[in-house]
């Protein structure tokens, strides 16, 4: 099975790159184009860079924003539409329930991850997927607790619908989303026995940030959210009026017979909410340390525009800070950036994203399974001694061009599996290995072996010379100058050297 075949039409690219000098004269140029497309997406291929190089910064930003989507282009597997009703589970034997959990958590969850990874690779709007991922790490839920791939899929579609739409609308929708109801225990929040979990997280993590509410605000808000639940047989949100606390509540100094939606509106009315969200967007797109005056200015736009997201993104992407020289290379790439970005920048054809699901997990970003309610912290935490080695091994694999090396890499996967099995057998590790886990390991190893063995790299035209019509490999791949000095000037070894350079780890 051909997992990765990098395709490039030299004739088409030659025509594109012949226009590159004109792009420098009339537009922002290749370096700015690569920077903008990498920060707002994952990583562009040279054709995209050449196209955007001819535009001004303002034209380019407007084109990116106008091209966003509300629906995925990749069809998800039909079995992800299955929701197992509670009454069906209640009739199952213990063994059947175990089997259901296995298929829901492992097989369905893996399919779900592969679908989204495929969408990131093939989407015509990388900004849409980046923003969907941003909100996934803001409104956190996890497959491990929710268990239903159907509900996690629905939440992903919900986040995508307003990923660059309206934050207020999304806040109301995701607060009632069944996956969120399960993840933050809203269904157990009832009159006389309030569960404060959702009330706390909606203030601390979703809107205000720490230090802008009191414990009494949380207690009173929790009363307002009582009755929010799901129907275990349909998977739909339901409001259970009988367990709702209809009394007077006082939140942020305001009193009334508030329900959950009323509290969300009170949160949206707070200045801190707009500043908290803009600060997170700044760290996502501009730099790790937000500029307070600039954040406050953009947050005012956010409030004035009734929490519309596009005006905020436009202001961020056209700000002086975004384009400042010191900003480039200031953000560490996430595992998704590394995996998806490398494949997109090399214009890889990936018909099956399944092998790369495990790669993301190994690199520390298991999509649909953030580590806790705070999500992935990001930044420098993406890189440690273990994940840096995994990153290098992954990039080394996709940059190889000779069969012998690929066969050796595939053999190492088999050797690693054999070593683990032997360690368990002789008692040097107490980690149990189930039959199902063994099957999963074997299946994944075979997929990865096929991916490596069938890797057919036709090195793109832009790598074949030091300067291909005003375009270099450095321009295409790196945010800043390479750290490592090497004498390779072109070709597949040049690409490999740049992918393995420390500068490739930042954007």
């Amino acid at each position: 099975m051909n997992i990765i075949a990098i395709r490039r039409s030299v004739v088409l690219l030659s025509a594109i790159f012949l226009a590159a000098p004109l792009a420098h004269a009339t537009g922002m140029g290749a370096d700015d184009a690569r920077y903008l497309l990498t920060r707002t997406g994952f990583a562009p291929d040279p054709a995209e860079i050449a196209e955007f190089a001819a535009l001004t910064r303002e034209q380019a930003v407007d084109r990116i924003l106008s091209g966003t989507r509300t629906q995925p282009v990749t069809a998800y597997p039909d079995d992800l539409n299955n929701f197992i009703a509670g009454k069906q589970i209640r009739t199952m034997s213990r063994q059947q329930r175990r089997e259901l959990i296995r298929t829901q958590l492992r097989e369905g969850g893996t399919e779900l991850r592969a679908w989204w990874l495929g969408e990131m690779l093939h989407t015509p709007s990388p900004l849409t997927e980046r923003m969907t991922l941003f909100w996934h790490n803001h409104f956190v839920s996890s497959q491990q607790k929710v268990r239903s791939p159907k509900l996690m899929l629905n939440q992903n579609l919900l986040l995508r619908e307003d990923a660059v739409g309206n934050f207020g609308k999304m806040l109301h929708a995701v607060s009632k989303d069944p996956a969120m109801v399960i993840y933050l225990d809203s269904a157990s929040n009832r009159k006389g026995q309030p569960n404060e979990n959702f009330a706390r997280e909606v203030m601390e993590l979703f809107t205000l940030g720490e230090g802008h509410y009191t414990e009494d605000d949380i207690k009173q808000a929790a009363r307002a959210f009582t009755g929010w639940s799901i129907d275990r047989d349909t998977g739909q949100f339901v409001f259970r009026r009988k367990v709702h606390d209809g009394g007077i509540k006082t939140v942020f100094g305001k009193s009334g017979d508030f329900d959950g939606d009323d509290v969300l509106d009170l949160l949206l009315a707070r200045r801190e909410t707009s500043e908290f969200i803009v600060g997170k967007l700044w760290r996502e797109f501009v730099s790790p340390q937000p500029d307070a005056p600039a954040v406050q200015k953009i947050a005012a736009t956010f409030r004035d525009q009734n929490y519309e997201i596009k005006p905020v993104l436009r202001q961020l992407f056209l700000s002086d800070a975004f384009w400042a020289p010191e900003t480039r290379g200031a953000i560490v790439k996430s595992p998704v950036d590394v995996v998806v970005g490398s494949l997109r920048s090399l214009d890889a054809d990936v018909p099956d994203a399944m092998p790369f699901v495990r790669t993301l997990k190994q690199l520390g970003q298991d999509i649909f399974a953030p580590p806790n309610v705070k999500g992935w912290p990001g930044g420098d935490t993406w890189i440690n001694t273990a994940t840096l080695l995994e990153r290098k091994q992954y990039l080394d694999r996709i940059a190889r061009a000779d069969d012998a090396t690929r066969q050796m890499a595939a053999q190492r996967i088999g050797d690693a599996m054999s070593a683990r099995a032997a360690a368990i057998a002789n008692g040097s590790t107490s980690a149990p290995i189930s039959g199902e886990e063994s099957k999963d390991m074997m299946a994944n190893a075979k997929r990865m072996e096929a991916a490596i063995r069938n890797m057919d790299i036709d090195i793109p035209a832009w790598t074949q010379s030091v300067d291909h019509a005003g375009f270099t490999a450095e321009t295409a791949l790196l945010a800043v100058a390479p750290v490592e000095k090497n004498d390779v000037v072109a070709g597949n070894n040049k690409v490999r050297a740049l992918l393995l350079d420390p500068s490739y780890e930042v954007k």
Side-chain angles (χ1 to χ4, degrees), residues 196-222:
E196 299 173 5
N197 202 10
F198 177 75
R200 183 178 301 278
E201 307 307 353
V202 77
M203 293 184 191
E204 178 182 334
L205 301 177
F206 298 170
T207 55
L208 301 175
E210 293 184 64
H212 300 293
Y213 54 86
T214 68
E215 286 298 311
D216 195 54
D217 288 329
I218 292 173
K219 293 179 184 299
Q220 295 290 300

Side-chain angles (χ1 to χ4, degrees), residues 428-450:
S428 60
T429 175
S430 59
I433 180 169
S434 67
E436 290 300 331
E437 184 183 4
S438 177
K439 289 179 183 178
D440 288 346
M441 289 172 65
M442 287 298 298
N444 188 74
K446 288 179 180 179
R447 290 192 192 100
M448 208 45 146
E449 181 181 346

Side-chain angles (χ1 to χ4, degrees), residues 92-110:
M92 292 180 176
S93 66
R94 180 176 296 181
Q95 181 59 36
Q96 288 173 324
R97 290 180 186 176
R98 283 180 185 159
E99 178 65 15
L100 175 63
I101 291 173
R102 184 188 68 81
T103 56
Q104 291 271 306
L105 282 177
R106 292 190 182 175
E107 296 175 11
T110 302

Side-chain angles (χ1 to χ4, degrees), residues 172-303:
H172 277 272
V174 79
S175 297
K176 298 177 183 177
D177 175 69
M180 184 63 71
V181 170
I182 294 172
Y183 187 70
L184 290 182
D185 307 310
S186 292
S188 63
N189 184 20
R190 54 192 60 228
K191 182 178 180 179
Q193 296 177 311
N195 184 310
E196 299 173 5
N197 202 10
F198 177 75
R200 183 178 301 278
E201 307 307 353
V202 77
M203 293 184 191
E204 178 182 334
L205 301 177
F206 298 170
T207 55
L208 301 175
E210 293 184 64
H212 300 293
Y213 54 86
T214 68
E215 286 298 311
D216 195 54
D217 288 329
I218 292 173
K219 293 179 184 299
Q220 295 290 300
R223 292 175 54 211
F225 290 117
T226 52
W228 285 22
S229 187
I230 67 167
D231 186 320
R232 296 285 179 175
D233 291 327
T234 66
Q236 300 296 311
F237 172 85
V238 294
F239 175 62
R240 302 191 187 281
R241 187 170 299 279
K242 289 184 178 180
V243 297
H244 173 66
D245 186 337
I248 299 297
K249 302 100 180 171
T250 300
V251 184
F252 309 133
K254 299 182 183 297
S255 299
D257 180 12
F258 299 139
D259 62 15
D261 285 309
D262 294 328
V263 172
L264 296 179
D265 287 337
L266 289 174
L267 289 167
L268 290 169
R270 295 284 297 271
R271 173 183 54 81
E272 294 91 343
T273 294
S274 61
E275 293 180 359
F276 181 68
I277 301 301
V278 171
K280 290 193 71 170
L281 288 169
W282 185 288
R283 286 187 288 272
E284 175 73 15
F285 291 108
V286 183
S287 68
Q289 295 298 326
D291 177 82
V295 166
Q296 291 169 4
K297 182 179 179 181
I298 298 173
T301 299
F302 205 15
R303 295 191 301 274

